[in-house]
Amino acid sequence: MAENAEGDLNSNLLHAPYHTGDPQLDTAIGQWLRWDKVSLTALCFTSGLVCFHFPSLGSRWWFSLSPLALEKNPKTKEQIENLLRNGMNKELRDRLCCRMTFGTAGLRSAMGAGFCYINDLTVIQSTQGMYKYLERCFSDFKQRGFVVGYDTRGQVTSSCSSQRLAKLTAAVLLAKDVPVYLFSRYVPTPFVPYAVQELKAVAGVMITASHNRKEDNGYKVYWETGAQITSPHDKEILKCIEECVEPWNGSWNDNLVDTSPLKRDPLQDICRRYMEDLKKICFHRELNSKTTLKFVHTSFHGVGHDYVQLAFQVFGFKPPIPVPEQKDPDPDFSTVKCPNPEEGESVLELSLRLAERENARVVLATDPDADRLAVAELQENGHWKVFTGNELAALFGWWMFDCWKKNKSRNADVKNVYMLATTVSSKILKAIALEEGFHFEETLPGFKWIGCRIKDLLENGKEVLFAFEESIGFLCGTSVLDKDGVSAAVVVAEMAAYLETLNITLKQQLTKVYEKYGYHISKTSYFLCYDPITIKSIFERIRNFDSPKEYPKFCGTFAILHIRDVTTGYDSSQPNKKSVLPVSKNSQMITFTFQNGCVATLRTSGTEPKIKYYAEMCASPEQSDTALLEEELKKLIEALIENFLEPSKNGLIWRSV
């Protein structure tokens, strides 16, 4: 009788070959349904028998262990089976016949079933590939270990959450006898690269999709340096993932997280060390403790609340006032249209209204994984000024250099000092550097490039004060080699408190910076485009604008002085016509330098289905007519959109916020 029952169970769990008419799809379906489950033999039943309890029969039946399989995530299995049952072959092909690749922030995609989505199986596959590559790179991998952190995202329909994916990441490595530093609680993204450096681990992963829509999640990888991985590591890891797609014995066993002596919780130690290191960029603690300024903080339903509160305490401040509806984790981000504070006043509504009631002049908004920061300040006319990332960078650049000058050691040399920005960001730091005598460098978009360059500079004895990307990503100091919204929030608070003693607002100080170093008027926005073919055709048209392999010489009436195409490695401003920045073939990015002094860039997002545009008028200090500069910039952007992007023709969706 037992043998028959075992046979019935097996017949329900094994799947016949599928015939969709597409051999590649048939193979992918079979692989998914075979791998998205756990073999009982993988769960270490050493007796060779397993017991099933049937309450309705009042008995327990024992079965011998021929390879028996149970669905480990029935929700994702059900998603694929429903698509198969309904003959939705195109969606099956979209989900199963391609894989995720590393973008500007690691692997990122929607949560759900399929090899190109974030789910239990693809995280296991990714971690198996990571293990294989790290084992090859580090002979001491099993002594130094690996760091795993996670945010608060989750999706009921696929039984997918950042915490579960972090546990599965840890399980794969623990099953291979690798020590794993798994945070016992959600943490800001910067805690993972910080922990990698502090604990001398070989690498780390943060499970997060940062500020993306609620449906998304991600797998962000940091190397032993504490910086995000770049080439060739990303390509080599992807190769290793392809070689390790079938789950190993033990990879599904997330019980190891609770039972393995190799699992360690670094939360308290890393939090203590991080907060201690924050003191390195605190210059006015006594002043902070006496300020009458009030601050409101929103964590956008993410991880930031507790950590920003602690940071304020370290700097001597009273706690910032939290937005009650947004301070606790909520994977649905239920009070905001999108969980991205960069979208401005419309998504900051609750915090601005709370600030008005509490008589708080400054609002600080960290995104859901607390690696980015938005800032708003109440003006005398009763309106709120929401600073752009470029404007905040002007303030940070001024502040960090001013603090360095006032606190530098006797033998400190300004020629040893550096600030960095991504190439699509404002050139304001370049203007400050030219005037003050320190160095400024640009990198490709993405903080992974900034982090790697900072590491090189530090190893060569240089001092890096500040780095940023225009999408409200800031790094003050070098304790972390990635953008950090927690430290940025408390530095802004100290800056505002200091300026308050001089009766100067943040906006007034920004004007002073521009008056001294030159106005930098910038505008950044985007279009949504869900069709990769359309995106490619837009950029290929620019590369073959007037004739084959000829870039445009004009954009409407605006004459183009130089063009740099990082995708192809072309730069007309260089004698050899080759880009100084590294070639980035996997993304689209073309930069135009106009005769009127404007610099504009068109590029695809590395994390979202967007075509972004960036434009900035860089003026000398003598050019103070901001209205004229803004009008010129407005006209140029209109020409850029009309001539190069052609939204109506290409079906692009305008930014809605």
Side-chain angles (χ1 to χ4, degrees):
M1 190 173 181
E3 286 182 8
N4 289 337
E6 182 188 354
D8 289 342
L9 280 165
N10 273 300
S11 66
N12 287 332
L13 294 164
L14 295 175
H15 299 274
Y18 296 97
H19 302 285
T20 64
D22 181 340
Q24 183 191 14
L25 179 57
D26 293 342
T27 300
I29 292 169
Q31 288 175 334
W32 179 270
L33 293 174
R34 192 163 66 251
W35 294 340
D36 191 26
K37 56 192 176 185
V38 61
S39 165
L40 288 181
T41 55
L43 295 182
C44 306
F45 291 96
T46 54
S47 66
L49 294 174
V50 62
C51 177
F52 286 90
H53 181 209
F54 297 92
S56 60
L57 299 178
S59 62
R60 290 179 173 83
W61 287 12
W62 290 87
F63 301 97
S64 62
L65 276 179
S66 58
L68 192 66
L70 295 177
E71 291 81 12
K72 194 61 179 174
N73 190 333
K75 293 285 182 72
T76 48
K77 174 178 173 287
E78 183 184 348
Q79 286 179 17
I80 296 299
E81 287 184 335
N82 284 340
L83 293 171
L84 189 61
R85 194 177 298 116
N86 294 316
M88 300 180 72
N89 290 357
K90 184 186 182 302
E91 184 165 348
L92 282 166
R93 198 173 293 111
D94 291 343
R95 285 173 177 256
L96 296 172
C97 292
C98 61
R99 292 191 174 275
M100 294 176 288
T101 58
F102 283 98
T104 54
L107 301 173
R108 197 174 286 185
S109 186
M111 291 180 277
F115 293 123
C116 67
Y117 280 35
I118 293 285
N119 52 63
D120 293 1
L121 179 57
T122 54
V123 163
I124 285 174
Q125 292 174 327
S126 299
T127 308
Q128 289 180 170
M130 281 286 297
Y131 170 81
K132 186 171 183 178
Y133 184 61
L134 293 172
E135 188 183 38
R136 184 194 306 166
C137 293
F138 298 98
S139 59
D140 56 354
F141 183 20
K142 293 187 178 181
Q143 285 74 52
R144 293 169 61 187
F146 190 93
V147 176
V148 182
Y150 56 92
D151 67 11
T152 57
R153 285 176 176 262
Q155 186 184 73
V156 173
T157 55
S158 60
S159 288
C160 191
S161 72
S162 294
Q163 184 177 30
R164 172 166 173 75
L165 298 177
K167 285 184 175 181
L168 287 170
T169 300
V172 171
L173 299 170
L174 291 168
K176 291 292 185 180
D177 299 321
V178 175
V180 176
Y181 298 95
L182 173 65
F183 284 96
S184 58
R185 188 172 182 264
Y186 53 81
V187 289
T189 288
F191 271 41
V192 170
Y194 181 77
V196 168
Q197 287 195 96
E198 287 292 303
L199 302 172
K200 295 180 171 56
V202 300
V205 160
M206 177 71 184
I207 307 295
T208 180
S210 189
H211 58 282
N212 274 39
R213 59 188 195 136
K214 67 179 181 180
E215 290 83 6
D216 291 351
N217 216 324
Y219 188 92
K220 196 170 187 178
V221 183
Y222 294 90
W223 201 241
E224 64 170 337
T225 57
Q228 291 179 57
I229 58 166
T230 56
S231 188
H233 300 309
D234 51 0
K235 294 178 178 63
E236 292 301 315
I237 290 169
L238 284 174
K239 284 182 192 174
C240 289
I241 292 171
E242 290 286 347
E243 295 166 6
C244 303
V245 288
E246 185 166 0
W248 300 331
N249 285 348
S251 286
W252 279 105
N253 188 10
D254 56 357
N255 290 329
L256 285 171
V257 168
D258 301 315
T259 60
S260 173
L262 293 173
K263 193 271 289 186
R264 299 155 194 175
D265 175 15
L267 180 64
Q268 289 189 352
D269 180 38
I270 290 302
C271 193
R272 177 186 56 77
R273 293 197 212 184
Y274 174 90
M275 295 300 165
E276 186 65 27
D277 270 346
L278 271 187
K279 294 176 182 177
K280 295 174 184 175
I281 52 174
C282 176
F283 301 100
H284 300 280
R285 196 174 193 281
E286 186 177 347
L287 184 153
N288 298 341
S289 66
K290 296 175 180 176
T291 187
T292 57
L293 266 187
K294 287 184 178 181
F295 302 92
V296 161
H297 171 242
T298 173
S299 53
F300 262 67
H301 299 292
V303 306
H305 171 74
D306 292 343
Y307 303 99
V308 170
Q309 294 273 319
L310 283 172
F312 265 65
Q313 186 178 323
V314 167
F315 268 54
F317 285 108
K318 296 182 180 71
I321 303 163
V323 179
E325 302 94 330
Q326 296 175 337
K327 79 178 182 68
D328 297 321
D330 172 11
D332 289 325
F333 306 114
S334 53
T335 68
V336 289
K337 187 175 181 180
C338 69
N340 185 357
E342 190 184 2
E343 296 292 352
E345 195 162 340
S346 62
V347 293
L348 296 173
E349 180 73 22
L350 285 174
S351 51
L352 300 183
R353 300 295 83 80
L354 175 64
E356 289 165 357
R357 293 194 300 274
E358 295 285 348
N359 197 28
R361 201 178 77 206
V362 178
V363 167
L364 306 165
T366 48
D367 70 340
D369 68 326
D371 67 345
R372 305 198 311 156
L373 176 75
V375 178
E377 182 184 54
L378 187 62
Q379 304 303 299
E380 285 187 5
N381 62 7
H383 295 143
W384 285 92
K385 163 67 177 173
V386 181
F387 296 91
T388 67
N390 287 330
E391 289 172 335
L392 286 173
L395 287 167
F396 275 121
W398 159 75
W399 176 254
M400 294 303 291
F401 186 71
D402 191 64
C403 291
W404 179 84
K405 280 196 300 186
K406 291 173 180 174
N407 296 276
K408 66 180 179 179
S409 59
R410 188 173 296 175
N411 59 350
D413 184 356
V414 72
K415 293 178 181 176
N416 213 37
V417 170
Y418 282 73
M419 292 192 192
L420 293 86
T422 60
T423 188
V424 296
S425 301
S426 173
K427 312 303 178 194
I428 184 61
L429 295 187
K430 182 179 180 180
I432 299 174
L434 285 170
E435 176 70 22
E436 301 293 349
F438 63 86
H439 293 275
F440 168 75
E441 288 192 8
E442 282 188 337
T443 72
L444 286 173
F447 236 91
K448 62 183 182 181
W449 301 105
I450 286 178
C452 288
R453 182 57 185 148
I454 290 176
K455 188 68 177 176
D456 290 342
L457 289 168
L458 294 178
E459 287 176 351
N460 284 284
K462 308 303 181 186
E463 187 173 4
V464 180
L465 301 183
F466 174 66
F468 87 104
E469 59 184 6
E470 53 73 37
S471 52
I472 60 172
F474 310 105
L475 174 58
C476 301
T478 54
S479 294
V480 180
L481 295 186
D482 203 2
K483 55 184 177 286
D484 183 355
V486 176
S487 60
V490 74
V491 169
V492 166
E494 181 169 79
M495 188 195 310
Y498 171 81
L499 290 171
E500 171 73 3
T501 64
L502 306 176
N503 201 28
I504 299 172
T505 66
L506 291 171
K507 185 170 184 284
Q508 288 167 345
Q509 180 58 35
L510 178 64
T511 301
K512 288 177 180 289
V513 171
Y514 285 150
E515 286 173 346
K516 181 174 182 179
Y517 302 109
Y519 277 90
H520 286 61
I521 312 294
S522 60
K523 168 75 173 173
T524 301
S525 194
Y526 61 82
F527 290 88
L528 292 170
C529 183
Y530 296 94
D531 181 17
I533 295 172
T534 299
I535 291 174
K536 187 174 182 182
S537 70
I538 288 170
F539 284 88
E540 284 302 315
R541 176 176 168 269
I542 295 171
R543 296 183 181 109
N544 303 274
F545 198 77
D546 295 317
S547 58
K549 297 186 178 180
E550 285 287 332
Y551 291 87
K553 296 178 177 60
F554 285 84
C555 178
T557 60
F558 295 95
I560 297 170
L561 192 63
H562 296 297
I563 288 181
R564 182 185 63 202
D565 187 345
V566 171
T567 308
T568 64
Y570 172 78
D571 188 341
S572 67
S573 71
Q574 298 299 314
N576 62 1
K577 306 302 180 188
K578 291 185 178 179
S579 171
V580 176
L581 289 175
V583 176
S584 182
K585 293 179 180 177
N586 294 329
S587 60
Q588 303 283 353
M589 187 171 84
I590 301 177
T591 299
F592 309 88
T593 301
F594 293 89
Q595 282 188 350
N596 65 357
C598 180
V599 178
T601 297
L602 299 176
R603 68 176 281 258
T604 51
S605 169
T607 58
E608 297 166 283
K610 293 177 178 177
I611 300 176
K612 294 185 171 183
Y613 65 82
Y614 312 77
E616 181 174 49
M617 292 293 295
C618 305
S620 63
E622 296 78 38
Q623 292 176 275
S624 58
D625 190 342
T626 57
L628 190 66
L629 293 170
E630 287 172 355
E631 182 61 26
E632 183 83 348
L633 183 65
K634 180 174 177 286
K635 288 177 180 176
L636 192 143
I637 289 172
E638 288 171 354
L640 195 75
I641 292 169
E642 180 183 338
N643 289 277
F644 294 162
L645 295 181
E646 302 179 299
S648 299
K649 176 185 170 184
N650 291 308
L652 306 184
I653 303 168
W654 292 74
R655 177 182 179 182
S656 60
V657 179

